[in-house]
């Protein structure tokens, strides 16, 4: 059953609900641990300033790729098996019921492998431990921003400022107008403009599969 619309929802109201779910806590604790470790390790260099700037600049494109390649994955047959990852299945459910709060967040089973991988990879890939920890601090911070922004868009909190209103509008268009466009979440169509998925909304037809991705039955 679809959740009823609530009027007069404040940021405090939205925040209370946000912290009732696992992924904000898991990301926050990972962020705090990474930040503490980064401070202890020290060894600050110029690359510790450059890397976060590059990460913030690249994040909209990263977000766009994840949304299209993983979340909008079309189920594929491989012999007797169907390749249909959990994230893709949950995202189809999210499109069917965009107001169901549990479907807005990163699924808990995904966190079980995502967080260890997010911790291990930068520490193994970067030649300097400090730089790997810098990456970890900022990737978890960006993850938290993503979770909060995506969650807030799907609440009944009404946009009050133009920047957030644009973000809110883009994602609403993705869900209720046409799922083939407007893939960015935390920015105002930056990667969409760059990669050709930011059309004039008046020129885009309303998709019959916006709530039923690929016309899938599951």
């Amino acid at each position: 059953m679809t959740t009823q619309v609530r009027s007069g929802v404040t940021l405090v109201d939205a925040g209370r609900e946000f912290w009732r779910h696992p992924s904000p806590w898991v990301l926050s604790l990972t962020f705090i641990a990474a930040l503490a470790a980064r401070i202890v390790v020290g060894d600050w260099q110029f690359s510790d300033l450059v890397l976060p700037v590059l990460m913030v600049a690249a994040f909209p494109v990263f977000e766009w790729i994840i949304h299209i390649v993983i979340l909008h994955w079309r189920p594929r047959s491989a012999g007797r098996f169907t390749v249909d990852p959990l994230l893709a299945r949950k995202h189809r459910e999210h499109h069917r019921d965009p107001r169901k709060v549990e479907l807005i967040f990163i699924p808990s089973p995904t966190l079980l492998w995502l967080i260890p991988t997010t911790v291990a990879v930068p520490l193994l890939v970067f030649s300097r431990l400090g730089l790997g920890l810098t990456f970890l601090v900022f990737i978890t911070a960006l993850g938290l921003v993503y979770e909060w922004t995506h969650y807030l868009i799907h609440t009944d909190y009404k946009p009050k400022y133009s920047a957030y209103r644009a973000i809110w509008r883009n994602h609403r268009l993705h869900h209720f107008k046409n799922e083939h466009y407007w893939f960015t979440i935390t920015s105002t169509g930056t990667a969409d403009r760059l990669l050709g998925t930011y059309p004039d909304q008046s020129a885009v037809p309303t998709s019959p599969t916006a709530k039923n991705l690929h016309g899938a039955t599951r």
Side-chain angles (χ1 to χ4, degrees), residues 4-78:
Q4 291 184 343
V5 176
R6 295 170 56 203
S7 60
V9 173
T10 67
L11 281 176
V12 173
D13 296 329
R16 287 196 188 103
E17 178 63 33
F18 180 74
W19 292 107
R20 291 191 181 109
H21 299 271
S23 71
W25 285 102
V26 172
L27 287 167
S28 295
L29 291 172
T30 306
F31 168 78
I32 291 167
L35 181 61
R38 183 66 194 89
I39 292 169
V40 169
V41 167
D43 185 29
W44 301 98
Q45 297 185 26
F46 182 66
S47 54
D48 291 295
L49 177 61
V50 173
L51 181 61
V53 173
L54 294 176
M55 290 175 68
V56 170
F59 191 70
V61 174
F62 175 76
E63 207 174 59
W64 189 94
I65 292 170
I66 294 296
H67 201 160
I68 287 182
V69 175
I70 296 178
L71 302 183
H72 280 232
W73 170 272
R74 184 185 294 271
R76 291 169 172 82
S77 296

Side-chain angles (χ1 to χ4, degrees), residues 24 35 97 173 209-210:
L35 181 61
D97 189 357
L173 287 170
T209 55

